[in-house]
Amino acid sequence: VCSSDLDVECDFLAKNEFATPLGAEQLSLKTVKEGYPKTKKDLYQYDVIISSDIPFNYFSDEQIQWTVDFVAKHGGGFAMVGGYDAFGEGKYSKTPIDRMLPVEMNAFDDHVNDVDFKWQLTDEAWSHPIMQLEKDDAKNREAWAKLPSFHGFSRTTRPKPAATTLAVVADEAY
């Protein structure tokens, strides 16, 4: 269980045994090679895949196709968070994963290091259900203002035509 919500179960995978997330000492952590589902049926037991800092080549061609089918045919969720081995730097550009993401990614060298920043929510974000930390608008804005900064990010070139942009990093800052 990865949260105080007892209905949420999480499996954590790392690119290698040395890439351990903070607070993971109590987790049963497996490498991608050991822990990523070995069949489409096994993958479909999940609701959401959150990929962070795992290179494209850690997955087999079958696993990539199952992941795309998981979203397109099964209705599962997929989010790529970023990191040194995500997006372009992780070699995802021009792959099936790239085609399903809502942003156009740079082909390589897209990670901006040593930068602390906060998301700037767009006007559309304030009314979007996924961005509601609080039901009351004023309290929601207050909650977002209190969130800690992120450190580093992966550049993208633009949102794809059907995407809704909910948050950005200020261009003028980087």
Side-chain angles (χ1 to χ4, degrees), residues 104-162:
E104 295 286 343
M105 68 178 71
N106 291 315
F108 59 91
D109 194 23
D110 58 0
H111 192 78
V112 178
N113 302 317
D114 300 323
V115 174
D116 290 331
F117 70 96
K118 289 193 173 202
W119 284 355
Q120 289 184 340
L121 272 59
T122 64
D123 290 341
E124 289 177 298
W126 295 112
S127 61
H128 196 283
I130 201 168
M131 305 303 273
Q132 302 306 302
L133 303 177
E134 297 284 345
K135 290 180 182 178
D136 177 74
D137 184 58
K139 287 182 181 178
N140 190 48
R141 289 175 185 269
E142 220 175 274
W144 276 99
K146 289 180 184 176
L147 290 175
S149 296
F150 290 93
H151 185 76
F153 62 94
S154 297
R155 286 188 201 275
T156 59
T157 60
R158 67 180 182 87
K160 290 180 181 171

Side-chain angles (χ1 to χ4, degrees), residues 1-147:
V1 177
C2 66
S3 74
S4 59
D5 183 341
L6 298 179
D7 291 333
V8 176
E9 293 181 32
C10 300
D11 290 327
F12 293 94
L13 307 179
K15 57 187 167 189
N16 59 49
E17 63 272 14
F18 305 110
T20 306
L22 290 176
E25 40 291 332
Q26 70 273 12
L27 301 174
S28 174
L29 189 66
K30 296 179 182 176
T31 65
V32 173
K33 187 171 260 184
E34 296 167 334
Y36 202 82
K38 305 291 188 259
T39 68
K40 185 186 280 195
K41 181 180 178 186
D42 291 343
L43 181 63
Y44 284 14
Q45 300 304 306
Y46 293 87
D47 296 313
V48 177
I49 299 167
I50 301 172
S51 177
S52 176
D53 206 20
I54 298 176
F56 180 79
N57 66 358
Y58 275 51
F59 302 97
S60 71
D61 290 343
E62 280 183 320
Q63 289 171 323
I64 293 296
Q65 189 57 54
W66 297 339
T67 302
V68 171
D69 290 347
F70 172 76
V71 174
K73 297 178 181 175
H74 184 67
F78 182 90
M80 183 170 284
V81 177
Y84 296 105
D85 286 314
F87 293 98
E89 286 191 50
K91 309 295 185 240
Y92 285 89
S93 180
K94 310 282 189 249
T95 69
I97 298 291
D98 178 14
R99 287 188 287 281
M100 90 175 168
L101 292 176
V103 294
E104 295 286 343
M105 68 178 71
N106 291 315
F108 59 91
D109 194 23
D110 58 0
H111 192 78
V112 178
N113 302 317
D114 300 323
V115 174
D116 290 331
F117 70 96
K118 289 193 173 202
W119 284 355
Q120 289 184 340
L121 272 59
T122 64
D123 290 341
E124 289 177 298
W126 295 112
S127 61
H128 196 283
I130 201 168
M131 305 303 273
Q132 302 306 302
L133 303 177
E134 297 284 345
K135 290 180 182 178
D136 177 74
D137 184 58
K139 287 182 181 178
N140 190 48
R141 289 175 185 269
E142 220 175 274
W144 276 99
K146 289 180 184 176
L147 290 175

